[in-house]
Amino acid sequence: MLGFRSSRRHERWRARAIRALFIRHGAERTPEGRSLQLLRAWLSPAQRAQFAGKGYFEVIGGDTGRQYRIYAGASTNVCEIDEKGRPTRGLCFMPRGNLPVGDVMLSQKIALECCEKRALEVARRFTPTGFMFSRSRLLG
């Protein structure tokens, strides 16, 4: 008798996709999941794709026109980047309170786009290293 059977690799891929959908659906009910939904709603389509694929998104400063990269995280997650896309200066600033990571990243985006000079005044600077951001978790 002639029959078809799916490959083991296809079955593993399907199981991983189902598991990811299940985890994502459950996670969206948490405060952190809802904050990430709000963040994604405020991102441009290009920023949303960047965040989903790379774990960060880039914004343009509203006062100076400098380019910044906001990595997934709640502190020491903002870097000024040069024209070649390399981090040059790290910035640490965040809103007061114990907020979910998506809310922190959204406030950083809005601060850089709307009141960049004030955000830079309060930010603590650090020297970014490749290791710090190479393992950035994907939240998009």
Side-chain angles (χ1 to χ4, degrees):
M1 197 136 113
L2 187 61
F4 294 99
R5 62 185 186 102
S6 61
S7 69
R8 292 275 185 216
R9 186 173 58 150
H10 179 70
E11 290 174 13
R12 283 194 305 266
W13 178 84
R14 185 174 180 209
R16 266 187 254 138
I18 291 170
R19 190 174 319 120
L21 285 172
F22 181 76
I23 290 169
R24 185 176 190 118
H25 176 71
E28 288 175 349
R29 294 183 187 164
T30 65
E32 184 160 324
R34 288 191 306 270
S35 75
L36 290 171
Q37 281 181 323
L38 180 64
L39 172 64
R40 284 192 293 271
W42 275 73
L43 295 177
S44 70
Q47 289 172 327
R48 220 178 356 262
Q50 211 176 27
F51 187 47
K54 298 180 180 178
Y56 63 78
F57 58 91
E58 295 173 356
V59 299
I60 304 295
D63 297 328
T64 65
R66 291 185 189 136
Q67 195 164 4
Y68 299 92
R69 185 174 290 160
I70 301 176
Y71 292 87
S75 65
T76 62
N77 64 317
V78 179
C79 284
E80 184 179 333
I81 57 176
D82 63 14
E83 60 278 345
K84 293 183 180 178
R86 295 178 302 214
T88 58
R89 177 172 60 161
L91 303 168
C92 181
F93 66 96
M94 64 193 95
R96 290 187 177 145
N98 189 16
L99 297 175
V101 68
D103 291 346
V104 172
M105 294 171 67
L106 179 56
S107 68
Q108 291 168 332
K109 169 187 166 50
I110 293 170
L112 288 170
E113 291 176 340
C114 298
C115 52
E116 178 187 12
K117 287 183 181 176
R118 179 67 182 126
L120 295 177
E121 285 175 12
V122 299
R124 293 192 178 195
R125 285 150 177 76
F126 64 92
T127 303
T129 64
F131 177 77
M132 293 175 75
F133 303 114
S134 63
R135 297 178 181 244
S136 187
R137 65 183 177 144
L138 295 177
L139 299 174

PDB file of all heavy atoms in Angstrom, residues 94-108:
ATOM      1  N   MET A  94      14.958  55.982  32.843  1.00  0.00           N
ATOM      2  CA  MET A  94      13.681  55.274  32.866  1.00  0.00           C
ATOM      3  C   MET A  94      12.685  56.046  33.728  1.00  0.00           C
ATOM      4  O   MET A  94      13.082  56.899  34.524  1.00  0.00           O
ATOM      5  CB  MET A  94      13.869  53.870  33.413  1.00  0.00           C
ATOM      6  CG  MET A  94      14.335  53.814  34.857  1.00  0.00           C
ATOM      7  SD  MET A  94      14.898  52.219  35.342  1.00  0.00           S
ATOM      8  CE  MET A  94      16.634  52.393  35.081  1.00  0.00           C
ATOM      9  N   PRO A  95      11.414  55.779  33.556  1.00  0.00           N
ATOM     10  CA  PRO A  95      10.412  56.463  34.384  1.00  0.00           C
ATOM     11  C   PRO A  95      10.455  55.931  35.812  1.00  0.00           C
ATOM     12  O   PRO A  95      10.985  54.844  36.073  1.00  0.00           O
ATOM     13  CB  PRO A  95       9.088  56.108  33.700  1.00  0.00           C
ATOM     14  CG  PRO A  95       9.365  54.820  33.006  1.00  0.00           C
ATOM     15  CD  PRO A  95      10.806  54.873  32.599  1.00  0.00           C
ATOM     16  N   ARG A  96       9.893  56.691  36.712  1.00  0.00           N
ATOM     17  CA  ARG A  96       9.802  56.239  38.105  1.00  0.00           C
ATOM     18  C   ARG A  96       8.751  55.154  38.231  1.00  0.00           C
ATOM     19  O   ARG A  96       7.776  55.119  37.497  1.00  0.00           O
ATOM     20  CB  ARG A  96       9.430  57.407  39.007  1.00  0.00           C
ATOM     21  CG  ARG A  96      10.525  58.397  39.132  1.00  0.00           C
ATOM     22  CD  ARG A  96      10.192  59.448  40.157  1.00  0.00           C
ATOM     23  NE  ARG A  96      11.305  60.342  40.281  1.00  0.00           N
ATOM     24  CZ  ARG A  96      11.197  61.628  40.510  1.00  0.00           C
ATOM     25  NH1 ARG A  96      10.002  62.172  40.644  1.00  0.00           N
ATOM     26  NH2 ARG A  96      12.273  62.372  40.605  1.00  0.00           N
ATOM     27  N   GLY A  97       8.952  54.305  39.191  1.00  0.00           N
ATOM     28  CA  GLY A  97       7.979  53.261  39.467  1.00  0.00           C
ATOM     29  C   GLY A  97       8.420  51.914  38.918  1.00  0.00           C
ATOM     30  O   GLY A  97       9.352  51.802  38.134  1.00  0.00           O
ATOM     31  N   ASN A  98       7.728  50.910  39.349  1.00  0.00           N
ATOM     32  CA  ASN A  98       8.010  49.540  38.926  1.00  0.00           C
ATOM     33  C   ASN A  98       7.076  49.199  37.772  1.00  0.00           C
ATOM     34  O   ASN A  98       5.974  48.716  37.981  1.00  0.00           O
ATOM     35  CB  ASN A  98       7.804  48.592  40.111  1.00  0.00           C
ATOM     36  CG  ASN A  98       8.281  47.203  39.812  1.00  0.00           C
ATOM     37  OD1 ASN A  98       9.021  46.988  38.860  1.00  0.00           O
ATOM     38  ND2 ASN A  98       7.850  46.250  40.609  1.00  0.00           N
ATOM     39  N   LEU A  99       7.509  49.498  36.559  1.00  0.00           N
ATOM     40  CA  LEU A  99       6.667  49.331  35.377  1.00  0.00           C
ATOM     41  C   LEU A  99       7.105  48.120  34.563  1.00  0.00           C
ATOM     42  O   LEU A  99       8.278  47.759  34.566  1.00  0.00           O
ATOM     43  CB  LEU A  99       6.764  50.586  34.492  1.00  0.00           C
ATOM     44  CG  LEU A  99       6.271  51.881  35.105  1.00  0.00           C
ATOM     45  CD1 LEU A  99       6.557  53.048  34.164  1.00  0.00           C
ATOM     46  CD2 LEU A  99       4.795  51.803  35.416  1.00  0.00           C
ATOM     47  N   PRO A 100       6.172  47.510  33.820  1.00  0.00           N
ATOM     48  CA  PRO A 100       6.553  46.426  32.916  1.00  0.00           C
ATOM     49  C   PRO A 100       7.495  46.936  31.830  1.00  0.00           C
ATOM     50  O   PRO A 100       7.499  48.115  31.483  1.00  0.00           O
ATOM     51  CB  PRO A 100       5.227  45.970  32.307  1.00  0.00           C
ATOM     52  CG  PRO A 100       4.162  46.532  33.181  1.00  0.00           C
ATOM     53  CD  PRO A 100       4.744  47.747  33.837  1.00  0.00           C
ATOM     54  N   VAL A 101       8.270  46.026  31.265  1.00  0.00           N
ATOM     55  CA  VAL A 101       9.327  46.393  30.321  1.00  0.00           C
ATOM     56  C   VAL A 101       8.788  47.144  29.103  1.00  0.00           C
ATOM     57  O   VAL A 101       9.415  48.088  28.622  1.00  0.00           O
ATOM     58  CB  VAL A 101      10.145  45.148  29.918  1.00  0.00           C
ATOM     59  CG1 VAL A 101       9.333  44.183  29.091  1.00  0.00           C
ATOM     60  CG2 VAL A 101      11.407  45.549  29.178  1.00  0.00           C
ATOM     61  N   GLY A 102       7.641  46.786  28.599  1.00  0.00           N
ATOM     62  CA  GLY A 102       7.082  47.474  27.436  1.00  0.00           C
ATOM     63  C   GLY A 102       6.757  48.922  27.726  1.00  0.00           C
ATOM     64  O   GLY A 102       6.974  49.799  26.883  1.00  0.00           O
ATOM     65  N   ASP A 103       6.247  49.202  28.928  1.00  0.00           N
ATOM     66  CA  ASP A 103       5.936  50.578  29.309  1.00  0.00           C
ATOM     67  C   ASP A 103       7.204  51.411  29.449  1.00  0.00           C
ATOM     68  O   ASP A 103       7.236  52.585  29.080  1.00  0.00           O
ATOM     69  CB  ASP A 103       5.141  50.607  30.613  1.00  0.00           C
ATOM     70  CG  ASP A 103       3.731  50.049  30.469  1.00  0.00           C
ATOM     71  OD1 ASP A 103       3.267  49.873  29.319  1.00  0.00           O
ATOM     72  OD2 ASP A 103       3.098  49.782  31.501  1.00  0.00           O
ATOM     73  N   VAL A 104       8.265  50.808  29.984  1.00  0.00           N
ATOM     74  CA  VAL A 104       9.543  51.514  30.122  1.00  0.00           C
ATOM     75  C   VAL A 104      10.092  51.866  28.742  1.00  0.00           C
ATOM     76  O   VAL A 104      10.494  53.006  28.483  1.00  0.00           O
ATOM     77  CB  VAL A 104      10.565  50.673  30.918  1.00  0.00           C
ATOM     78  CG1 VAL A 104      11.941  51.316  30.897  1.00  0.00           C
ATOM     79  CG2 VAL A 104      10.089  50.460  32.349  1.00  0.00           C
ATOM     80  N   MET A 105      10.079  50.898  27.829  1.00  0.00           N
ATOM     81  CA  MET A 105      10.609  51.139  26.486  1.00  0.00           C
ATOM     82  C   MET A 105       9.776  52.173  25.736  1.00  0.00           C
ATOM     83  O   MET A 105      10.325  53.005  25.021  1.00  0.00           O
ATOM     84  CB  MET A 105      10.661  49.827  25.708  1.00  0.00           C
ATOM     85  CG  MET A 105      11.662  48.835  26.288  1.00  0.00           C
ATOM     86  SD  MET A 105      11.551  47.200  25.552  1.00  0.00           S
ATOM     87  CE  MET A 105      12.101  47.546  23.896  1.00  0.00           C
ATOM     88  N   LEU A 106       8.463  52.154  25.921  1.00  0.00           N
ATOM     89  CA  LEU A 106       7.603  53.151  25.276  1.00  0.00           C
ATOM     90  C   LEU A 106       7.898  54.548  25.823  1.00  0.00           C
ATOM     91  O   LEU A 106       7.982  55.511  25.064  1.00  0.00           O
ATOM     92  CB  LEU A 106       6.133  52.795  25.468  1.00  0.00           C
ATOM     93  CG  LEU A 106       5.120  53.767  24.867  1.00  0.00           C
ATOM     94  CD1 LEU A 106       5.356  53.959  23.370  1.00  0.00           C
ATOM     95  CD2 LEU A 106       3.710  53.275  25.136  1.00  0.00           C
ATOM     96  N   SER A 107       8.101  54.661  27.131  1.00  0.00           N
ATOM     97  CA  SER A 107       8.412  55.971  27.700  1.00  0.00           C
ATOM     98  C   SER A 107       9.767  56.470  27.204  1.00  0.00           C
ATOM     99  O   SER A 107       9.947  57.663  26.956  1.00  0.00           O
ATOM    100  CB  SER A 107       8.368  55.931  29.230  1.00  0.00           C
ATOM    101  OG  SER A 107       9.416  55.143  29.746  1.00  0.00           O
ATOM    102  N   GLN A 108      10.732  55.569  27.015  1.00  0.00           N
ATOM    103  CA  GLN A 108      12.036  55.963  26.478  1.00  0.00           C
ATOM    104  C   GLN A 108      11.895  56.455  25.036  1.00  0.00           C
ATOM    105  O   GLN A 108      12.494  57.460  24.654  1.00  0.00           O
ATOM    106  CB  GLN A 108      13.011  54.787  26.554  1.00  0.00           C
ATOM    107  CG  GLN A 108      13.404  54.434  27.979  1.00  0.00           C
ATOM    108  CD  GLN A 108      14.122  53.100  28.076  1.00  0.00           C
ATOM    109  OE1 GLN A 108      13.921  52.199  27.267  1.00  0.00           O
ATOM    110  NE2 GLN A 108      14.966  52.970  29.099  1.00  0.00           N
TER     111      GLN A 108
END
